[in-house]
């Protein structure tokens, strides 16, 4: 049973402090609309909040076919029952001002119609273009708002049924940096860390991430660690004096656009101080020597001038990173939507690689997303990647997909790089893309150069279909508008930032004629007559659970392996982390776990002595410089890590 709370007046709620390596206490937040008591709730329907990348486990209260409240799921691994203001109250907005009927443009005006007429017009234009202009005439632009089943169905339609490379989403101007940085650093998208790393860490670095406002439940978890025994040290990189900055041991209010200079200085300091875990670096990374060269001159003084912060504070932050045993780093919009975004996000990954801070409790990276389902856009192939993080340039990956969908290899676009979002609209501007379907996003507001975008969407050169739950600036310009169901009006899954998959079960019917996007996409595919090589319908599924099983098959032996999951399991336990397969039936807490994933050495901080190449400074005047990879020593017994045998220490 939960308690009624006011999460607007008291955003993070009362503290439930806990100590390192213990479990975050549960605290169930609940909100029921005025006049409704718990006894009057007829059903509690399980699911998760998708209003930020935390993805908190939730139960939806239903009475007389209407949502009347929500409460957190105490047993869910993400929130232990807590909900923030958006999760508690945001759902009320979805009950107002909805699109309830399809719209078609007649003599310049959008008028209401029925589904057959609306989807018939979509299919008529799509089929004509496909027959005359071929697949490159089609483009699909999505969002972080759909569910896995819907995304994967659209990917199968776009890349397997039609065969167009013109697919991207608004994630392109949001958190695409996270995917790009993981690709650069680890060769594949996918978050290494886990939210439980907050429970085990002894330092937290928040890079351009105002977690207090954007992910209030995660901040509540951090606050509870900060107010408990052995609190983690907190470092905040943000130009503003945020709530996070107020609690930080080090706040680096760097100038906008100077993230990379700061990151290079932090990397420089970790190397110069001899805090690199050479065993880890040698075993698991490439390019270390080149990195040393790149940051050789990136001193705190150099970065301090560029960033507008005190070099001593940069050193202070580096000291925390370099001497902590377990560091969690998070990265968000302050890095992603700034100069040199991918390079700066990669530098965060580099800090962890240099310190061997991966694959063990308390040591992890969380490159944040906007919503849980932004991750699914990337996984399922509605963006540039092929489904299951497959690479369009890898013929084996393309062949695997062709077998899954039973289509010819050449049907799947892979001869050239996929089209990114900006190109997609450029092609629509010229009419090269003559059919553009936009799902759950509002590019007429969110894209750069809005006058041009609005001109593109309203012109005759491109037929624009928009499926959305609300009337927006983009639906106003469409040729056909299809009303979509929202969260809790349909069943489906989505995956948050620490790879936790949740099942949202249908609680209520959508308003009027609105339909779930899965139903909309399948209706389009059937009317288009999309088939596989044997003439069977493509996609070959009908229900959301069938779509999920098809998605599971697409992920077998891929990094994002969902094959061990089921709707029944997700209903029962709440969130489960991928990869989940017969080897890891309960999911996988962390990626990149290696035999050498152990606490790194904590060396005493050295002096500021400048040493020749290949050597690092020490605090001992008699031997001011020693080989860079010499083991650390002169540690107090309490400071000596268990993994650093006494015989390997030496006096410096
Ligand atoms: S922290 Fe995020 S997922 Fe959790 S309730 Fe708030 S908005 Fe929803």
């Amino acid at each position: 049973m939960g308690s009624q709370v006011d999460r607007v007046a008291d955003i993070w709620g009362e503290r439930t402090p806990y100590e390192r390596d213990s479990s975050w206490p549960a605290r169930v937040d609940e909100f029921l609309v005025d006049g409704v008591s718990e006894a009057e709730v007829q059903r509690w329907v399980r699911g998760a909040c998708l209003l930020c990348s935390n993805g908190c486990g939730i139960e939806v209260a239903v009475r007389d076919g209407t949502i009347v409240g929500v409460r957190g799921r105490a047993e869910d691994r993400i929130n232990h029952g807590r909900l923030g203001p958006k999760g508690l109250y945001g759902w009320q907005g979805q009950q107002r001002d909805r699109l309830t009927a399809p719209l078609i443009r007649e003599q310049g005006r959008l008028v209401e119609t029925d589904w057959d007429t609306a989807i018939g017009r979509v299919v008529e234009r799509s089929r004509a273009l496909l027959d005359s202009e071929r697949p490159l005439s089609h483009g699909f632009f999505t969002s972080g708002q759909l569910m896995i089943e819907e995304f994967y169905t659209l990917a199968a339609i776009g890349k397997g049924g039609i065969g167009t490379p013109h697919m991207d989403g608004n994630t392109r101007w949001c958190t695409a940096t996270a995917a790009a940085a993981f690709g650069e650093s680890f060769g594949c998208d996918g978050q290494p860390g886990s939210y439980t790393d907050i429970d085990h860490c002894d330092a937290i670095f928040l890079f351009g991430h105002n977690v207090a406002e954007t992910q209030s439940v995660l901040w509540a978890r951090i606050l509870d660690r900060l107010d408990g025994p052995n609190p983690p040290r907190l470092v905040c990189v943000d130009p503003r004096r945020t709530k996070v900055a107020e609690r930080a041991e080090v706040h680096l209010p760097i100038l906008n656009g100077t993230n990379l200079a700061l990151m290079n200085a932090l990397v420089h300091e970790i190397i110069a101080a001899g805090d690199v875990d050479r065993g880890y670096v040698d075993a698991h990374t490439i390019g270390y020597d080149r990195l040393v060269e790149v940051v050789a001159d990136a001193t705190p003084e150099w970065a301090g001038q560029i960033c507008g912060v005190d070099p001593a504070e940069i050193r202070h932050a580096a000291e925390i990173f370099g001497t902590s045993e377990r560091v969690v780093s998070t990265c968000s919009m302050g890095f992603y939507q700034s100069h040199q975004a991918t390079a700066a996000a990669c530098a965060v990954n580099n800090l962890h690689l240099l310190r061997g801070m991966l694959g063990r409790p308390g040591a992890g990276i969380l490159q944040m997303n906007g919503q849980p389902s932004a991750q699914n856009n990337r996984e399922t192939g509605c963006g540039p990647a092929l489904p299951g993080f497959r690479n369009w340039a890898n013929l084996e990956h393309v062949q695997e997909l062709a077998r899954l969908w039973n289509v010819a290899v050449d049907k799947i676009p892979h001869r050239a790089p996929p089209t990114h979002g900006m190109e997609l609209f450029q092609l629509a501007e010229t009419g090269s893309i003559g059919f553009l379907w936009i799902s759950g996003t509002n590019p007429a507001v969110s894209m750069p150069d809005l006058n041009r975008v609005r001109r593109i969407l309203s012109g005759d050169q491109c037929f624009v279909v928009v499926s959305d739950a609300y009337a927006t600036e983009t639906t106003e310009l469409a040729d056909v508008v299809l009303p979509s169901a929202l969260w809790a009006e349909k069943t489906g899954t989505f995956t948050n930032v620490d790879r936790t998959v949740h099942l949202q079960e249908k609680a209520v019917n959508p308003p009027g004629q609105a339909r779930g996007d899965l139903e909309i996409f399948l209706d389009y595919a059937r009317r288009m007559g999309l088939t596989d090589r044997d003439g069977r319908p493509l996609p070959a599924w009908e229900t959301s659970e069938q779509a999920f099983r098809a998605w599971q098959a697409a992920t077998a032996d891929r990094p994002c392996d969902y094959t061990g999951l089921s709707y029944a399991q997700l209903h029962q336990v709440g969130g489960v982390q991928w990869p989940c397969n017969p080897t890891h039936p309960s999911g996988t807490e962390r990626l990149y776990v290696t035999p050498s994933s152990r606490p790194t050495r904590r060396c005493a901080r050295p002096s500021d002595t400048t040493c020749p190449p290949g050597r690092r400074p020490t605090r001992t005047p008699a031997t001011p410089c020693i080989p860079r990879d010499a083991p650390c020593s002169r540690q107090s017994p309490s400071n000596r890590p268990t993994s650093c045998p006494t015989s390997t220490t030496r006096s410096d």
Side-chain angles (χ1 to χ4, degrees), residues 377-438:
N377 183 313
R378 286 156 33 192
E379 292 173 1
T380 56
C382 279
L386 295 176
F389 294 149
R390 287 179 174 84
N391 185 345
W392 63 271
N394 182 328
L395 189 57
E396 278 181 30
H397 286 184
V398 182
Q399 289 167 337
E400 283 170 11
L401 209 51
R403 278 195 295 276
L404 269 169
W405 290 339
N406 191 29
V407 298
V409 169
D410 280 342
K411 182 86 179 186
I412 299 171
H414 65 281
R415 302 287 183 204
T419 313
H420 66 65
M422 296 304 293
E423 288 172 338
L424 207 140
F425 280 83
Q426 283 162 11
L427 292 170
E429 184 172 34
T430 64
S432 175
I433 287 178
F435 176 94
L436 178 61
W437 190 331
I438 299 166

Side-chain angles (χ1 to χ4, degrees), residues 71-211:
R71 69 183 176 196
R73 285 187 71 174
E75 72 279 19
D76 196 277
R77 62 178 306 278
I78 298 301
N79 54 325
H80 296 214
R82 290 162 190 75
L83 293 174
K86 287 189 285 184
L88 270 181
Y89 312 119
W91 56 271
Q92 296 172 98
Q94 82 175 46
Q95 298 183 324
R96 293 192 289 269
D97 303 326
R98 295 283 300 276
L99 285 171
T100 56
L103 307 170
I104 55 173
R105 191 164 295 281
E106 294 285 5
Q107 296 171 340
R109 289 182 51 246
L110 284 173
V111 295
E112 284 195 8
T113 188
D114 55 68
W115 270 99
D116 274 348
T117 305
I119 205 83
R121 189 168 287 193
V122 171
V123 168
E124 181 186 11
R125 179 58 74 99
S126 177
R127 174 48 65 195
L129 270 174
L130 203 52
D131 290 345
S132 61
E133 309 289 335
R134 316 306 296 167
L136 294 180
S137 60
H138 281 56
F140 295 89
F141 189 68
T142 54
S143 63
Q145 268 70 33
L146 306 186
M147 292 171 164
I148 288 176
E149 295 77 359
E150 297 164 336
F151 277 130
Y152 183 56
T153 298
L154 184 60
I157 288 171
K159 289 176 175 165
I162 289 174
T164 178
H166 304 324
M167 298 187 76
D168 204 359
N170 61 11
T171 43
R172 173 69 60 181
W173 20 96
C174 184
T175 53
T177 304
F182 284 136
E184 290 282 334
S185 296
F186 303 109
C188 185
D189 195 356
Q191 303 278 348
S194 169
Y195 280 136
T196 55
D197 287 331
I198 300 294
D199 308 343
H200 301 290
C201 67
D202 54 14
I204 301 173
F205 278 65
L206 297 159
F207 294 102
H209 182 205
N210 184 5
V211 61

